[in-house]
Amino acid sequence: MTKKLKGLTFLVLMMLFVLVVTACSFGKSGKVEVGIVLPTKDEPRWVQDEQRFKDALKKSKYSTEILFSQGSSAKEKENVEALLNKGIKVLIITPHDGAAAASAVEAAKKEGVTVIAYDRLITDTDAVDYYVTFDSLAVGAAQAQYLVDNAKGSDVPLYLYAGAASDNNAFLFFEGAWKVLQPKIADGTFKIANSSEAEKLKDSVDLSREQLGKIIGQITTNWDANEAKNKAQTHLTAAGKELKGNVFILAPNDGTARSIADVFASDSAISSYFVTGQDAEKASIQYIIDGKQSMTVFKDVRTLVKDAMGMAVDILDGKTPDTTGSYDNGSIEVKAKQTNVIVVNKGNVKKELIDSEYYKADEFTGLK
């Protein structure tokens, strides 16, 4: 009996020893192969992306960590450094500021890390290997085409808004929109209501980066709903009767679209409005169902995440990722993989978002 107890005690001690050693080994290694840095948790789009990445990673054999920069380039650089310390081999990063992120990814490249810019291009550096994106020019073009298709008559008031001047995508979105809107501005269908710089350039379909910057400088929302609201209020306060009535609004994304729509809806001199959006956020889909927002450009994050993770896995497996084009970031041509976008309005919400299982029907009211 004593020998048996001794033997049992010895086995228990050995099992405990193995568990302790295993725990210590895990804690010491703590290695991460794919580091993901997203810009902020304050916008539904990026929280949604986080969940999509987590869902995609369940099937991955590689370890991953996701960090948020909370709208700070300094925090973004800290996040990259923290991931480098954990031994990452691939960095997937959505920059808060495309140019400011250059120093962070240059540090990664020095460590031999492959850098994938995710959804926003990192500019003015050769330290970017790949870019996974939606076709940003096509996003802006789709928004503008929706406005053009619904405009009737002449001198229709057109309010222009853009994303952050620090985000290369904001330039691409606006450039894509401008090329579609400009002919209709030039022929008198639209009358620009809130940008003197855009008015000066109304006869030019192709704008330089500097010219785009001057317009965006006047109409930027910085991707911030409150800033969009304040800017819209300022513009409406300054607008005369001829710039009210039935109006058309180029809003860059869903968060700003809802804020701008609320401001225009509260002005008794606005009889109706058409307003664009982007990202298919739940709140905006409800707005579309309720007739408060006209459309959104649906970018299926599931596909974008799948493309980004597929590219990372290919790199870790020693394969060359597939690409479909390239983007000039001011320093090099960055190889890119593009994902198509879909226009969603009240008529096709169910088909594009519910039937595709992107959202569930019970997440909305009034859906038909």
Side-chain angles (χ1 to χ4, degrees), residues 279-347:
D279 292 332
E281 292 180 2
K282 284 182 187 177
S284 276
I285 298 308
Q286 188 63 61
Y287 261 49
I288 288 171
I289 294 167
D290 296 341
K292 296 178 181 179
Q293 184 174 323
S294 310
M295 61 85 80
T296 187
V297 177
F298 173 41
K299 305 185 304 186
D300 195 335
V301 175
R302 293 171 298 185
T303 305
L304 199 67
V305 166
K306 183 181 175 183
D307 286 347
M309 286 307 301
M311 190 173 275
V313 169
D314 279 347
I315 292 162
L316 291 167
D317 287 346
K319 299 175 185 176
T320 300
D322 291 331
T323 54
T324 56
S326 66
Y327 283 75
D328 182 356
N329 79 340
S331 179
I332 58 169
E333 286 285 327
V334 182
K335 293 178 182 177
K337 185 160 189 181
Q338 296 172 310
T339 299
N340 293 329
V341 299
I342 299 167
V343 171
V344 172
N345 56 31
K346 194 170 184 176

Side-chain angles (χ1 to χ4, degrees), residues 102 105-106 109 122-129 329-332 334:
V105 297
E106 283 163 5
K109 285 302 292 179
I122 299 164
T123 57
D124 303 321
T125 179
D126 62 0
V128 187
D129 296 285
N329 79 340
S331 179
I332 58 169
V334 182

Side-chain angles (χ1 to χ4, degrees), residues 39 69-73 76 93-98 100-101 120 164 166-167 223:
S69 302
Q70 290 307 103
S72 165
S73 293
E76 182 175 80
I93 177 171
T94 304
H96 164 64
D97 180 315
R120 293 180 185 172
S166 61
D167 179 3
W223 299 125

Side-chain angles (χ1 to χ4, degrees), residues 2-150:
T2 307
K3 285 183 179 179
K4 285 184 179 179
L5 282 171
K6 282 182 179 178
L8 187 60
T9 303
F10 177 77
L11 277 173
V12 171
L13 288 171
M14 283 300 293
M15 288 174 68
L16 286 170
F17 176 76
V18 170
L19 285 171
V20 169
V21 169
T22 303
C24 288
S25 298
F26 181 79
K28 281 179 183 176
S29 65
K31 289 201 76 170
V32 175
E33 287 143 324
V34 182
I36 300 172
V37 178
L38 299 176
T40 179
K41 262 195 168 180
D42 294 335
E43 291 180 31
R45 159 69 202 280
W46 303 113
V47 175
Q48 187 183 72
D49 276 40
E50 178 190 27
Q51 188 56 51
R52 302 295 184 196
F53 269 114
K54 286 179 178 177
D55 291 344
L57 295 173
K58 288 176 184 175
K59 299 176 183 177
S60 173
K61 65 180 178 180
Y62 295 111
S63 56
T64 310
E65 186 169 340
I66 303 172
L67 299 176
F68 286 86
S69 302
Q70 290 307 103
S72 165
S73 293
K75 179 64 176 174
E76 182 175 80
K77 192 169 183 180
E78 285 178 18
N79 285 340
V80 172
E81 289 169 354
L83 292 168
L84 290 176
N85 288 334
K86 293 189 177 183
I88 62 167
K89 300 300 180 186
V90 178
L91 172 65
I92 299 172
I93 177 171
T94 304
H96 164 64
D97 180 315
S103 62
V105 297
E106 283 163 5
K109 285 302 292 179
K110 284 179 183 176
E111 298 292 326
V113 172
T114 301
V115 176
I116 301 171
Y118 177 77
D119 199 41
R120 293 180 185 172
L121 187 58
I122 299 164
T123 57
D124 303 321
T125 179
D126 62 0
V128 187
D129 296 285
Y130 297 100
Y131 181 30
V132 176
T133 183
F134 293 102
D135 187 339
S136 299
L137 289 170
V139 170
Q143 292 173 329
Q145 192 61 54
Y146 187 88
L147 298 179
V148 168
D149 289 346
N150 285 281

Side-chain angles (χ1 to χ4, degrees), residues 147-215:
L147 298 179
V148 168
D149 289 346
N150 285 281
K152 295 176 182 177
S154 60
D155 288 333
V156 177
L158 175 65
Y159 290 80
L160 303 171
Y161 296 94
S166 61
D167 179 3
N168 187 64
N169 269 2
F171 281 78
L172 295 173
F173 296 145
F174 191 80
E175 181 184 352
W178 181 261
K179 286 185 176 180
V180 175
L181 291 172
Q182 187 275 333
K184 291 298 180 179
I185 296 169
D187 73 7
T189 301
F190 289 120
K191 182 177 179 60
I192 298 170
N194 64 331
S195 171
S196 58
E197 291 294 339
E199 180 64 27
K200 286 179 193 175
L201 296 164
K202 68 180 182 180
D203 294 321
S204 302
V205 67
D206 293 310
L207 302 180
S208 68
R209 180 84 176 191
E210 183 181 359
Q211 289 171 325
L212 286 166
K214 286 182 178 179
I215 298 174

